[in-house]
Amino acid sequence: MRTLIANGTIVTADGSYVADVLVDGETIAAIGKLPEGPLGALAGIAVDETIDATGKYVIPGAIDVHTHMELPFGGTSAKDTFESGTRAAAFGGTTTIVDFAVQSRGKSLRDGLDTWHAKAEGNAVVDYGFHMIMSDVNDDTLAEMDTLVAEGVPDFKLFTAYPGVFYSPDDHVFRAMQQTAKNGGLIMMHAENGPAIDVVAARLVADGKTDPYYHGVARYPIFEGEATNRVIRLAEAAGVPVYIVHLSAKDALDAVRGARDRGAPAFAETCPQYLFLSLDDLGNGFEGAKFVCSPPLREKDPHWEELWRGLVKDDLQVVSTDHCPFDFHEQKELGRGDFRKIPNGLPGVEDRVDLLHDGGVIQGRISRERWVDLISTGPAKLFGMYPRKGAIAVGSDADIVVYDPGRMRTISAKTHHMDVDYSCYEGWSVQGASDVVLSRGTVVVRDGAFTGTRGAGRFVKRSAADYARLA
Ligand code: URP
Ligand code: ZN
Ligand code: ZN
């Protein structure tokens, strides 16, 4: 199958230009661009289909390196399966996800990884990779880390939050970091001071402050800043790069900035919810449960502007979603009367690309090239997929989005494709939407209709964290 994407504006992390893109099979075969040939130079070539991209952007398929399909959490499970979640991702222009496999306490990493492979294989509609959540750090699991790196699962998430669930004490975090110093992997940290948060949360509940709003109150920004600084210092001591997930607060960003200013290989992502939603959304009685995630939504000032500055100045390299959807009815409702029992997590895999285009590019906060960098090229580099993914280049996978930067779209649970009964952005109007989405050369979404196939998504075996070590 040969497809010509004609006359679009190719937007990459490095620059933009008008060109034709020839897709042959699963990869990009040629780019017809001046001075190599006149525009349309590829037009004479025999193809099975031509997609007219005049006036549209042609961007590398977006990559979401932080999703939780079917995550068991808070006494229930995140609702999207690999089928529904990757289909929703594709509608939103995301053609690769990296999801978190979970090691259950007392079981092996292998067991957890096999379980996640079984969930995804035959179900995902676009490509996927895995990180590994480590719940136990001991001699056995440390040895297993090396095997996983060799198998293309080179990153490990540990938590200084959620005591009794995923929490690891400092010595465990440090041992895992020492192991990745040897095996080339990357440690991803959920950095909040969980034990301190639990003290504040217990006090609030004892005082009758049980509404979702108090979830946000209990998790002080300073607790995120302290834990972020601590894990970065531990990584420096171990001599390895570290990646802070779902960074939400200025306090944490200051710790990352400080580390990068002294030359430490510290990296971080933020998520749309921390750029566009705030502590106010947690109010409004139990409705606020729709917005319960950890770290929590912050006050608008000073956090929003600081995060945008971090994205512009490259102290934040990635925008992911932390997609972890729970229905409001029955799932979020588990926490009526005690905010600590609300399952933590928000839906978002479908809306990230458009939210960041509208709130970032259209609002003049970031360039369209930086947008592509944050949603696709940056994650591909940091997570061992570049230039196979995250690039419009000859030889790269033909994961391509023909994006209409002018189209208006209204976000709503009535029309979204995520399997969840609400949207955090209900009724929002955003400018920019994906028209045609290709996954390895196959059109999977066209003009609002799904044309892909369940099970067509493949596991992406990723390389060790070379970019993180060289950056
Ligand atoms: O609230 C969140 N973030 N839920 C998903 C689990 C995690 O900590 O990433
Ligand atoms: Zn987390
Ligand atoms: Zn997460």
Side-chain angles (χ1 to χ4, degrees), residues 270-277 297 304 308 319-322 346 348 351-353 355-356 425 428:
T270 190
C271 311
Q273 54 268 33
Y274 302 121
L275 296 165
F276 300 114
L277 303 172
L297 305 181
W304 286 9
W308 281 108
V319 176
S320 66
T321 60
D322 194 9
L346 307 184
D351 299 320
R352 173 185 64 132
V353 170
L355 283 167
L356 203 68
Y425 309 97
W428 287 31

mmCIF file with all atom_site columns, all heavy atoms in Angstrom, residues 270-277 297 304 308 319-322 346 348 351-353 355-356 425 428:
data_model
loop_
_atom_site.group_PDB
_atom_site.id
_atom_site.type_symbol
_atom_site.label_atom_id
_atom_site.label_alt_id
_atom_site.label_comp_id
_atom_site.label_asym_id
_atom_site.label_entity_id
_atom_site.label_seq_id
_atom_site.pdbx_PDB_ins_code
_atom_site.Cartn_x
_atom_site.Cartn_y
_atom_site.Cartn_z
_atom_site.occupancy
_atom_site.B_iso_or_equiv
_atom_site.pdbx_formal_charge
_atom_site.auth_seq_id
_atom_site.auth_comp_id
_atom_site.auth_asym_id
_atom_site.auth_atom_id
_atom_site.pdbx_PDB_model_num
ATOM 1   N N   . THR A 1 270 ? 4.756   17.358 32.448 1.00 0.00 ? 270 THR A N   1
ATOM 2   C CA  . THR A 1 270 ? 3.522   17.771 33.099 1.00 0.00 ? 270 THR A CA  1
ATOM 3   C C   . THR A 1 270 ? 2.362   17.252 32.238 1.00 0.00 ? 270 THR A C   1
ATOM 4   O O   . THR A 1 270 ? 2.586   16.549 31.247 1.00 0.00 ? 270 THR A O   1
ATOM 5   C CB  . THR A 1 270 ? 3.452   19.286 33.331 1.00 0.00 ? 270 THR A CB  1
ATOM 6   O OG1 . THR A 1 270 ? 2.314   19.559 34.186 1.00 0.00 ? 270 THR A OG1 1
ATOM 7   C CG2 . THR A 1 270 ? 3.312   20.080 32.040 1.00 0.00 ? 270 THR A CG2 1
ATOM 8   N N   . CYS A 1 271 ? 1.145   17.537 32.660 1.00 0.00 ? 271 CYS A N   1
ATOM 9   C CA  . CYS A 1 271 ? -0.041  16.992 31.979 1.00 0.00 ? 271 CYS A CA  1
ATOM 10  C C   . CYS A 1 271 ? -1.041  18.134 31.764 1.00 0.00 ? 271 CYS A C   1
ATOM 11  O O   . CYS A 1 271 ? -1.036  19.121 32.513 1.00 0.00 ? 271 CYS A O   1
ATOM 12  C CB  . CYS A 1 271 ? -0.707  15.913 32.842 1.00 0.00 ? 271 CYS A CB  1
ATOM 13  S SG  . CYS A 1 271 ? 0.423   14.667 33.472 1.00 0.00 ? 271 CYS A SG  1
ATOM 14  N N   . PRO A 1 272 ? -1.939  18.003 30.782 1.00 0.00 ? 272 PRO A N   1
ATOM 15  C CA  . PRO A 1 272 ? -2.887  19.092 30.517 1.00 0.00 ? 272 PRO A CA  1
ATOM 16  C C   . PRO A 1 272 ? -3.675  19.528 31.740 1.00 0.00 ? 272 PRO A C   1
ATOM 17  O O   . PRO A 1 272 ? -3.956  20.725 31.915 1.00 0.00 ? 272 PRO A O   1
ATOM 18  C CB  . PRO A 1 272 ? -3.814  18.493 29.449 1.00 0.00 ? 272 PRO A CB  1
ATOM 19  C CG  . PRO A 1 272 ? -2.957  17.500 28.744 1.00 0.00 ? 272 PRO A CG  1
ATOM 20  C CD  . PRO A 1 272 ? -2.061  16.910 29.797 1.00 0.00 ? 272 PRO A CD  1
ATOM 21  N N   . GLN A 1 273 ? -4.039  18.581 32.613 1.00 0.00 ? 273 GLN A N   1
ATOM 22  C CA  . GLN A 1 273 ? -4.855  18.962 33.774 1.00 0.00 ? 273 GLN A CA  1
ATOM 23  C C   . GLN A 1 273 ? -4.146  19.984 34.667 1.00 0.00 ? 273 GLN A C   1
ATOM 24  O O   . GLN A 1 273 ? -4.798  20.789 35.323 1.00 0.00 ? 273 GLN A O   1
ATOM 25  C CB  . GLN A 1 273 ? -5.290  17.731 34.587 1.00 0.00 ? 273 GLN A CB  1
ATOM 26  C CG  . GLN A 1 273 ? -4.200  16.800 35.040 1.00 0.00 ? 273 GLN A CG  1
ATOM 27  C CD  . GLN A 1 273 ? -3.930  15.663 34.050 1.00 0.00 ? 273 GLN A CD  1
ATOM 28  O OE1 . GLN A 1 273 ? -4.065  15.862 32.846 1.00 0.00 ? 273 GLN A OE1 1
ATOM 29  N NE2 . GLN A 1 273 ? -3.543  14.509 34.543 1.00 0.00 ? 273 GLN A NE2 1
ATOM 30  N N   . TYR A 1 274 ? -2.823  19.961 34.684 1.00 0.00 ? 274 TYR A N   1
ATOM 31  C CA  . TYR A 1 274 ? -2.092  20.913 35.541 1.00 0.00 ? 274 TYR A CA  1
ATOM 32  C C   . TYR A 1 274 ? -1.890  22.260 34.844 1.00 0.00 ? 274 TYR A C   1
ATOM 33  O O   . TYR A 1 274 ? -1.484  23.229 35.485 1.00 0.00 ? 274 TYR A O   1
ATOM 34  C CB  . TYR A 1 274 ? -0.754  20.313 35.973 1.00 0.00 ? 274 TYR A CB  1
ATOM 35  C CG  . TYR A 1 274 ? -0.938  18.997 36.707 1.00 0.00 ? 274 TYR A CG  1
ATOM 36  C CD1 . TYR A 1 274 ? -0.364  17.823 36.240 1.00 0.00 ? 274 TYR A CD1 1
ATOM 37  C CD2 . TYR A 1 274 ? -1.735  18.932 37.854 1.00 0.00 ? 274 TYR A CD2 1
ATOM 38  C CE1 . TYR A 1 274 ? -0.559  16.617 36.903 1.00 0.00 ? 274 TYR A CE1 1
ATOM 39  C CE2 . TYR A 1 274 ? -1.936  17.733 38.514 1.00 0.00 ? 274 TYR A CE2 1
ATOM 40  C CZ  . TYR A 1 274 ? -1.349  16.581 38.035 1.00 0.00 ? 274 TYR A CZ  1
ATOM 41  O OH  . TYR A 1 274 ? -1.557  15.394 38.696 1.00 0.00 ? 274 TYR A OH  1
ATOM 42  N N   . LEU A 1 275 ? -2.153  22.291 33.536 1.00 0.00 ? 275 LEU A N   1
ATOM 43  C CA  . LEU A 1 275 ? -2.015  23.535 32.772 1.00 0.00 ? 275 LEU A CA  1
ATOM 44  C C   . LEU A 1 275 ? -3.351  24.255 32.615 1.00 0.00 ? 275 LEU A C   1
ATOM 45  O O   . LEU A 1 275 ? -3.389  25.458 32.367 1.00 0.00 ? 275 LEU A O   1
ATOM 46  C CB  . LEU A 1 275 ? -1.462  23.227 31.370 1.00 0.00 ? 275 LEU A CB  1
ATOM 47  C CG  . LEU A 1 275 ? -0.051  22.637 31.323 1.00 0.00 ? 275 LEU A CG  1
ATOM 48  C CD1 . LEU A 1 275 ? 0.232   22.051 29.938 1.00 0.00 ? 275 LEU A CD1 1
ATOM 49  C CD2 . LEU A 1 275 ? 0.983   23.687 31.676 1.00 0.00 ? 275 LEU A CD2 1
ATOM 50  N N   . PHE A 1 276 ? -4.455  23.488 32.713 1.00 0.00 ? 276 PHE A N   1
ATOM 51  C CA  . PHE A 1 276 ? -5.766  24.058 32.368 1.00 0.00 ? 276 PHE A CA  1
ATOM 52  C C   . PHE A 1 276 ? -6.816  23.952 33.470 1.00 0.00 ? 276 PHE A C   1
ATOM 53  O O   . PHE A 1 276 ? -7.876  24.561 33.365 1.00 0.00 ? 276 PHE A O   1
ATOM 54  C CB  . PHE A 1 276 ? -6.314  23.375 31.109 1.00 0.00 ? 276 PHE A CB  1
ATOM 55  C CG  . PHE A 1 276 ? -5.432  23.524 29.903 1.00 0.00 ? 276 PHE A CG  1
ATOM 56  C CD1 . PHE A 1 276 ? -4.806  22.425 29.336 1.00 0.00 ? 276 PHE A CD1 1
ATOM 57  C CD2 . PHE A 1 276 ? -5.218  24.775 29.334 1.00 0.00 ? 276 PHE A CD2 1
ATOM 58  C CE1 . PHE A 1 276 ? -3.988  22.563 28.215 1.00 0.00 ? 276 PHE A CE1 1
ATOM 59  C CE2 . PHE A 1 276 ? -4.398  24.926 28.216 1.00 0.00 ? 276 PHE A CE2 1
ATOM 60  C CZ  . PHE A 1 276 ? -3.783  23.814 27.661 1.00 0.00 ? 276 PHE A CZ  1
ATOM 61  N N   . LEU A 1 277 ? -6.580  23.126 34.485 1.00 0.00 ? 277 LEU A N   1
ATOM 62  C CA  . LEU A 1 277 ? -7.565  22.947 35.562 1.00 0.00 ? 277 LEU A CA  1
ATOM 63  C C   . LEU A 1 277 ? -6.931  23.359 36.881 1.00 0.00 ? 277 LEU A C   1
ATOM 64  O O   . LEU A 1 277 ? -5.699  23.380 37.002 1.00 0.00 ? 277 LEU A O   1
ATOM 65  C CB  . LEU A 1 277 ? -8.013  21.483 35.626 1.00 0.00 ? 277 LEU A CB  1
ATOM 66  C CG  . LEU A 1 277 ? -8.621  20.903 34.334 1.00 0.00 ? 277 LEU A CG  1
ATOM 67  C CD1 . LEU A 1 277 ? -8.846  19.397 34.460 1.00 0.00 ? 277 LEU A CD1 1
ATOM 68  C CD2 . LEU A 1 277 ? -9.930  21.606 33.971 1.00 0.00 ? 277 LEU A CD2 1
ATOM 69  N N   . LEU A 1 297 ? -4.848  18.844 41.443 1.00 0.00 ? 297 LEU A N   1
ATOM 70  C CA  . LEU A 1 297 ? -4.896  20.124 40.739 1.00 0.00 ? 297 LEU A CA  1
ATOM 71  C C   . LEU A 1 297 ? -4.476  21.215 41.718 1.00 0.00 ? 297 LEU A C   1
ATOM 72  O O   . LEU A 1 297 ? -4.798  21.145 42.904 1.00 0.00 ? 297 LEU A O   1
ATOM 73  C CB  . LEU A 1 297 ? -6.308  20.373 40.213 1.00 0.00 ? 297 LEU A CB  1
ATOM 74  C CG  . LEU A 1 297 ? -6.875  19.262 39.321 1.00 0.00 ? 297 LEU A CG  1
ATOM 75  C CD1 . LEU A 1 297 ? -8.278  19.617 38.837 1.00 0.00 ? 297 LEU A CD1 1
ATOM 76  C CD2 . LEU A 1 297 ? -5.956  18.972 38.142 1.00 0.00 ? 297 LEU A CD2 1
ATOM 77  N N   . TRP A 1 304 ? 0.228   27.656 37.109 1.00 0.00 ? 304 TRP A N   1
ATOM 78  C CA  . TRP A 1 304 ? 0.032   27.543 35.650 1.00 0.00 ? 304 TRP A CA  1
ATOM 79  C C   . TRP A 1 304 ? 1.156   28.242 34.872 1.00 0.00 ? 304 TRP A C   1
ATOM 80  O O   . TRP A 1 304 ? 1.745   27.651 33.979 1.00 0.00 ? 304 TRP A O   1
ATOM 81  C CB  . TRP A 1 304 ? -1.305  28.155 35.236 1.00 0.00 ? 304 TRP A CB  1
ATOM 82  C CG  . TRP A 1 304 ? -2.525  27.347 35.582 1.00 0.00 ? 304 TRP A CG  1
ATOM 83  C CD1 . TRP A 1 304 ? -2.571  26.232 36.372 1.00 0.00 ? 304 TRP A CD1 1
ATOM 84  C CD2 . TRP A 1 304 ? -3.852  27.596 35.137 1.00 0.00 ? 304 TRP A CD2 1
ATOM 85  N NE1 . TRP A 1 304 ? -3.851  25.779 36.456 1.00 0.00 ? 304 TRP A NE1 1
ATOM 86  C CE2 . TRP A 1 304 ? -4.666  26.587 35.708 1.00 0.00 ? 304 TRP A CE2 1
ATOM 87  C CE3 . TRP A 1 304 ? -4.440  28.561 34.336 1.00 0.00 ? 304 TRP A CE3 1
ATOM 88  C CZ2 . TRP A 1 304 ? -6.049  26.535 35.481 1.00 0.00 ? 304 TRP A CZ2 1
ATOM 89  C CZ3 . TRP A 1 304 ? -5.816  28.513 34.105 1.00 0.00 ? 304 TRP A CZ3 1
ATOM 90  C CH2 . TRP A 1 304 ? -6.608  27.506 34.679 1.00 0.00 ? 304 TRP A CH2 1
ATOM 91  N N   . TRP A 1 308 ? 4.001   26.670 32.260 1.00 0.00 ? 308 TRP A N   1
ATOM 92  C CA  . TRP A 1 308 ? 4.184   27.094 30.860 1.00 0.00 ? 308 TRP A CA  1
ATOM 93  C C   . TRP A 1 308 ? 5.613   27.569 30.632 1.00 0.00 ? 308 TRP A C   1
ATOM 94  O O   . TRP A 1 308 ? 6.226   27.268 29.606 1.00 0.00 ? 308 TRP A O   1
ATOM 95  C CB  . TRP A 1 308 ? 3.171   28.196 30.487 1.00 0.00 ? 308 TRP A CB  1
ATOM 96  C CG  . TRP A 1 308 ? 1.808   27.646 30.195 1.00 0.00 ? 308 TRP A CG  1
ATOM 97  C CD1 . TRP A 1 308 ? 0.688   27.768 30.974 1.00 0.00 ? 308 TRP A CD1 1
ATOM 98  C CD2 . TRP A 1 308 ? 1.412   26.859 29.062 1.00 0.00 ? 308 TRP A CD2 1
ATOM 99  N NE1 . TRP A 1 308 ? -0.376  27.109 30.396 1.00 0.00 ? 308 TRP A NE1 1
ATOM 100 C CE2 . TRP A 1 308 ? 0.039   26.544 29.224 1.00 0.00 ? 308 TRP A CE2 1
ATOM 101 C CE3 . TRP A 1 308 ? 2.081   26.390 27.940 1.00 0.00 ? 308 TRP A CE3 1
ATOM 102 C CZ2 . TRP A 1 308 ? -0.674  25.779 28.288 1.00 0.00 ? 308 TRP A CZ2 1
ATOM 103 C CZ3 . TRP A 1 308 ? 1.374   25.620 27.007 1.00 0.00 ? 308 TRP A CZ3 1
ATOM 104 C CH2 . TRP A 1 308 ? 0.019   25.333 27.191 1.00 0.00 ? 308 TRP A CH2 1
ATOM 105 N N   . VAL A 1 319 ? 4.730   16.596 27.543 1.00 0.00 ? 319 VAL A N   1
ATOM 106 C CA  . VAL A 1 319 ? 3.365   16.671 28.078 1.00 0.00 ? 319 VAL A CA  1
ATOM 107 C C   . VAL A 1 319 ? 2.697   15.321 27.801 1.00 0.00 ? 319 VAL A C   1
ATOM 108 O O   . VAL A 1 319 ? 2.544   14.917 26.640 1.00 0.00 ? 319 VAL A O   1
ATOM 109 C CB  . VAL A 1 319 ? 2.550   17.814 27.450 1.00 0.00 ? 319 VAL A CB  1
ATOM 110 C CG1 . VAL A 1 319 ? 1.113   17.776 27.971 1.00 0.00 ? 319 VAL A CG1 1
ATOM 111 C CG2 . VAL A 1 319 ? 3.186   19.162 27.776 1.00 0.00 ? 319 VAL A CG2 1
ATOM 112 N N   . SER A 1 320 ? 2.398   14.606 28.863 1.00 0.00 ? 320 SER A N   1
ATOM 113 C CA  . SER A 1 320 ? 1.694   13.325 28.756 1.00 0.00 ? 320 SER A CA  1
ATOM 114 C C   . SER A 1 320 ? 0.327   13.511 29.413 1.00 0.00 ? 320 SER A C   1
ATOM 115 O O   . SER A 1 320 ? -0.009  14.620 29.833 1.00 0.00 ? 320 SER A O   1
ATOM 116 C CB  . SER A 1 320 ? 2.492   12.239 29.478 1.00 0.00 ? 320 SER A CB  1
ATOM 117 O OG  . SER A 1 320 ? 2.491   12.544 30.858 1.00 0.00 ? 320 SER A OG  1
ATOM 118 N N   . THR A 1 321 ? -0.448  12.406 29.517 1.00 0.00 ? 321 THR A N   1
ATOM 119 C CA  . THR A 1 321 ? -1.784  12.613 30.108 1.00 0.00 ? 321 THR A CA  1
ATOM 120 C C   . THR A 1 321 ? -1.972  12.049 31.509 1.00 0.00 ? 321 THR A C   1
ATOM 121 O O   . THR A 1 321 ? -2.822  12.512 32.254 1.00 0.00 ? 321 THR A O   1
ATOM 122 C CB  . THR A 1 321 ? -2.888  11.963 29.241 1.00 0.00 ? 321 THR A CB  1
ATOM 123 O OG1 . THR A 1 321 ? -2.627  10.561 29.145 1.00 0.00 ? 321 THR A OG1 1
ATOM 124 C CG2 . THR A 1 321 ? -2.972  12.611 27.894 1.00 0.00 ? 321 THR A CG2 1
ATOM 125 N N   . ASP A 1 322 ? -1.232  10.969 31.856 1.00 0.00 ? 322 ASP A N   1
ATOM 126 C CA  . ASP A 1 322 ? -1.558  10.210 33.078 1.00 0.00 ? 322 ASP A CA  1
ATOM 127 C C   . ASP A 1 322 ? -3.002  9.714  32.987 1.00 0.00 ? 322 ASP A C   1
ATOM 128 O O   . ASP A 1 322 ? -3.723  9.669  33.993 1.00 0.00 ? 322 ASP A O   1
ATOM 129 C CB  . ASP A 1 322 ? -1.339  11.081 34.322 1.00 0.00 ? 322 ASP A CB  1
ATOM 130 C CG  . ASP A 1 322 ? -1.327  10.263 35.606 1.00 0.00 ? 322 ASP A CG  1
ATOM 131 O OD1 . ASP A 1 322 ? -1.320  9.025  35.531 1.00 0.00 ? 322 ASP A OD1 1
ATOM 132 O OD2 . ASP A 1 322 ? -1.344  10.880 36.694 1.00 0.00 ? 322 ASP A OD2 1
ATOM 133 N N   . LEU A 1 346 ? -7.593  10.727 36.150 1.00 0.00 ? 346 LEU A N   1
ATOM 134 C CA  . LEU A 1 346 ? -8.465  11.462 35.226 1.00 0.00 ? 346 LEU A CA  1
ATOM 135 C C   . LEU A 1 346 ? -8.357  10.872 33.823 1.00 0.00 ? 346 LEU A C   1
ATOM 136 O O   . LEU A 1 346 ? -7.298  10.388 33.434 1.00 0.00 ? 346 LEU A O   1
ATOM 137 C CB  . LEU A 1 346 ? -8.040  12.937 35.126 1.00 0.00 ? 346 LEU A CB  1
ATOM 138 C CG  . LEU A 1 346 ? -7.880  13.762 36.394 1.00 0.00 ? 346 LEU A CG  1
ATOM 139 C CD1 . LEU A 1 346 ? -7.558  15.195 36.021 1.00 0.00 ? 346 LEU A CD1 1
ATOM 140 C CD2 . LEU A 1 346 ? -9.129  13.685 37.254 1.00 0.00 ? 346 LEU A CD2 1
ATOM 141 N N   . GLY A 1 348 ? -7.992  11.425 29.765 1.00 0.00 ? 348 GLY A N   1
ATOM 142 C CA  . GLY A 1 348 ? -7.378  12.515 28.999 1.00 0.00 ? 348 GLY A CA  1
ATOM 143 C C   . GLY A 1 348 ? -6.678  12.118 27.716 1.00 0.00 ? 348 GLY A C   1
ATOM 144 O O   . GLY A 1 348 ? -6.267  12.988 26.948 1.00 0.00 ? 348 GLY A O   1
ATOM 145 N N   . ASP A 1 351 ? -7.634  13.944 24.406 1.00 0.00 ? 351 ASP A N   1
ATOM 146 C CA  . ASP A 1 351 ? -7.723  15.403 24.265 1.00 0.00 ? 351 ASP A CA  1
ATOM 147 C C   . ASP A 1 351 ? -6.400  16.159 24.365 1.00 0.00 ? 351 ASP A C   1
ATOM 148 O O   . ASP A 1 351 ? -6.344  17.361 24.146 1.00 0.00 ? 351 ASP A O   1
ATOM 149 C CB  . ASP A 1 351 ? -8.697  15.956 25.317 1.00 0.00 ? 351 ASP A CB  1
ATOM 150 C CG  . ASP A 1 351 ? -10.095 15.389 25.145 1.00 0.00 ? 351 ASP A CG  1
ATOM 151 O OD1 . ASP A 1 351 ? -10.524 15.261 23.987 1.00 0.00 ? 351 ASP A OD1 1
ATOM 152 O OD2 . ASP A 1 351 ? -10.733 15.045 26.157 1.00 0.00 ? 351 ASP A OD2 1
ATOM 153 N N   . ARG A 1 352 ? -5.335  15.454 24.703 1.00 0.00 ? 352 ARG A N   1
ATOM 154 C CA  . ARG A 1 352 ? -4.055  16.125 24.979 1.00 0.00 ? 352 ARG A CA  1
ATOM 155 C C   . ARG A 1 352 ? -3.558  16.960 23.798 1.00 0.00 ? 352 ARG A C   1
ATOM 156 O O   . ARG A 1 352 ? -3.170  18.126 23.958 1.00 0.00 ? 352 ARG A O   1
ATOM 157 C CB  . ARG A 1 352 ? -3.011  15.058 25.327 1.00 0.00 ? 352 ARG A CB  1
ATOM 158 C CG  . ARG A 1 352 ? -1.584  15.573 25.473 1.00 0.00 ? 352 ARG A CG  1
ATOM 159 C CD  . ARG A 1 352 ? -0.597  14.428 25.691 1.00 0.00 ? 352 ARG A CD  1
ATOM 160 N NE  . ARG A 1 352 ? -0.544  13.548 24.542 1.00 0.00 ? 352 ARG A NE  1
ATOM 161 C CZ  . ARG A 1 352 ? 0.552   13.106 23.952 1.00 0.00 ? 352 ARG A CZ  1
ATOM 162 N NH1 . ARG A 1 352 ? 1.737   13.474 24.434 1.00 0.00 ? 352 ARG A NH1 1
ATOM 163 N NH2 . ARG A 1 352 ? 0.509   12.315 22.915 1.00 0.00 ? 352 ARG A NH2 1
ATOM 164 N N   . VAL A 1 353 ? -3.563  16.372 22.598 1.00 0.00 ? 353 VAL A N   1
ATOM 165 C CA  . VAL A 1 353 ? -2.974  17.038 21.440 1.00 0.00 ? 353 VAL A CA  1
ATOM 166 C C   . VAL A 1 353 ? -3.719  18.337 21.147 1.00 0.00 ? 353 VAL A C   1
ATOM 167 O O   . VAL A 1 353 ? -3.107  19.393 20.924 1.00 0.00 ? 353 VAL A O   1
ATOM 168 C CB  . VAL A 1 353 ? -3.003  16.074 20.230 1.00 0.00 ? 353 VAL A CB  1
ATOM 169 C CG1 . VAL A 1 353 ? -2.625  16.791 18.950 1.00 0.00 ? 353 VAL A CG1 1
ATOM 170 C CG2 . VAL A 1 353 ? -2.084  14.880 20.496 1.00 0.00 ? 353 VAL A CG2 1
ATOM 171 N N   . LEU A 1 355 ? -5.820  20.047 23.234 1.00 0.00 ? 355 LEU A N   1
ATOM 172 C CA  . LEU A 1 355 ? -5.741  21.012 24.339 1.00 0.00 ? 355 LEU A CA  1
ATOM 173 C C   . LEU A 1 355 ? -4.431  21.795 24.282 1.00 0.00 ? 355 LEU A C   1
ATOM 174 O O   . LEU A 1 355 ? -4.403  23.009 24.478 1.00 0.00 ? 355 LEU A O   1
ATOM 175 C CB  . LEU A 1 355 ? -5.842  20.294 25.685 1.00 0.00 ? 355 LEU A CB  1
ATOM 176 C CG  . LEU A 1 355 ? -7.244  19.835 26.110 1.00 0.00 ? 355 LEU A CG  1
ATOM 177 C CD1 . LEU A 1 355 ? -7.156  18.881 27.289 1.00 0.00 ? 355 LEU A CD1 1
ATOM 178 C CD2 . LEU A 1 355 ? -8.139  21.036 26.464 1.00 0.00 ? 355 LEU A CD2 1
ATOM 179 N N   . LEU A 1 356 ? -3.359  21.073 23.973 1.00 0.00 ? 356 LEU A N   1
ATOM 180 C CA  . LEU A 1 356 ? -2.059  21.753 23.958 1.00 0.00 ? 356 LEU A CA  1
ATOM 181 C C   . LEU A 1 356 ? -1.913  22.626 22.710 1.00 0.00 ? 356 LEU A C   1
ATOM 182 O O   . LEU A 1 356 ? -1.244  23.661 22.747 1.00 0.00 ? 356 LEU A O   1
ATOM 183 C CB  . LEU A 1 356 ? -0.915  20.729 24.039 1.00 0.00 ? 356 LEU A CB  1
ATOM 184 C CG  . LEU A 1 356 ? 0.365   21.332 24.588 1.00 0.00 ? 356 LEU A CG  1
ATOM 185 C CD1 . LEU A 1 356 ? 0.221   21.713 26.058 1.00 0.00 ? 356 LEU A CD1 1
ATOM 186 C CD2 . LEU A 1 356 ? 1.541   20.396 24.409 1.00 0.00 ? 356 LEU A CD2 1
ATOM 187 N N   . TYR A 1 425 ? -13.298 18.388 30.639 1.00 0.00 ? 425 TYR A N   1
ATOM 188 C CA  . TYR A 1 425 ? -13.310 19.599 29.807 1.00 0.00 ? 425 TYR A CA  1
ATOM 189 C C   . TYR A 1 425 ? -14.667 19.746 29.111 1.00 0.00 ? 425 TYR A C   1
ATOM 190 O O   . TYR A 1 425 ? -14.757 20.267 28.001 1.00 0.00 ? 425 TYR A O   1
ATOM 191 C CB  . TYR A 1 425 ? -12.171 19.521 28.762 1.00 0.00 ? 425 TYR A CB  1
ATOM 192 C CG  . TYR A 1 425 ? -10.829 19.198 29.398 1.00 0.00 ? 425 TYR A CG  1
ATOM 193 C CD1 . TYR A 1 425 ? -10.344 17.892 29.417 1.00 0.00 ? 425 TYR A CD1 1
ATOM 194 C CD2 . TYR A 1 425 ? -10.070 20.192 30.020 1.00 0.00 ? 425 TYR A CD2 1
ATOM 195 C CE1 . TYR A 1 425 ? -9.135  17.587 30.019 1.00 0.00 ? 425 TYR A CE1 1
ATOM 196 C CE2 . TYR A 1 425 ? -8.855  19.897 30.628 1.00 0.00 ? 425 TYR A CE2 1
ATOM 197 C CZ  . TYR A 1 425 ? -8.395  18.591 30.629 1.00 0.00 ? 425 TYR A CZ  1
ATOM 198 O OH  . TYR A 1 425 ? -7.194  18.289 31.231 1.00 0.00 ? 425 TYR A OH  1
ATOM 199 N N   . TRP A 1 428 ? -15.907 22.496 26.510 1.00 0.00 ? 428 TRP A N   1
ATOM 200 C CA  . TRP A 1 428 ? -14.829 23.383 26.071 1.00 0.00 ? 428 TRP A CA  1
ATOM 201 C C   . TRP A 1 428 ? -14.732 23.354 24.548 1.00 0.00 ? 428 TRP A C   1
ATOM 202 O O   . TRP A 1 428 ? -14.788 22.291 23.927 1.00 0.00 ? 428 TRP A O   1
ATOM 203 C CB  . TRP A 1 428 ? -13.481 22.945 26.642 1.00 0.00 ? 428 TRP A CB  1
ATOM 204 C CG  . TRP A 1 428 ? -13.279 23.207 28.104 1.00 0.00 ? 428 TRP A CG  1
ATOM 205 C CD1 . TRP A 1 428 ? -14.213 23.224 29.091 1.00 0.00 ? 428 TRP A CD1 1
ATOM 206 C CD2 . TRP A 1 428 ? -12.022 23.457 28.738 1.00 0.00 ? 428 TRP A CD2 1
ATOM 207 N NE1 . TRP A 1 428 ? -13.620 23.468 30.308 1.00 0.00 ? 428 TRP A NE1 1
ATOM 208 C CE2 . TRP A 1 428 ? -12.275 23.613 30.117 1.00 0.00 ? 428 TRP A CE2 1
ATOM 209 C CE3 . TRP A 1 428 ? -10.710 23.558 28.290 1.00 0.00 ? 428 TRP A CE3 1
ATOM 210 C CZ2 . TRP A 1 428 ? -11.276 23.869 31.046 1.00 0.00 ? 428 TRP A CZ2 1
ATOM 211 C CZ3 . TRP A 1 428 ? -9.702  23.806 29.211 1.00 0.00 ? 428 TRP A CZ3 1
ATOM 212 C CH2 . TRP A 1 428 ? -9.982  23.968 30.580 1.00 0.00 ? 428 TRP A CH2 1
#
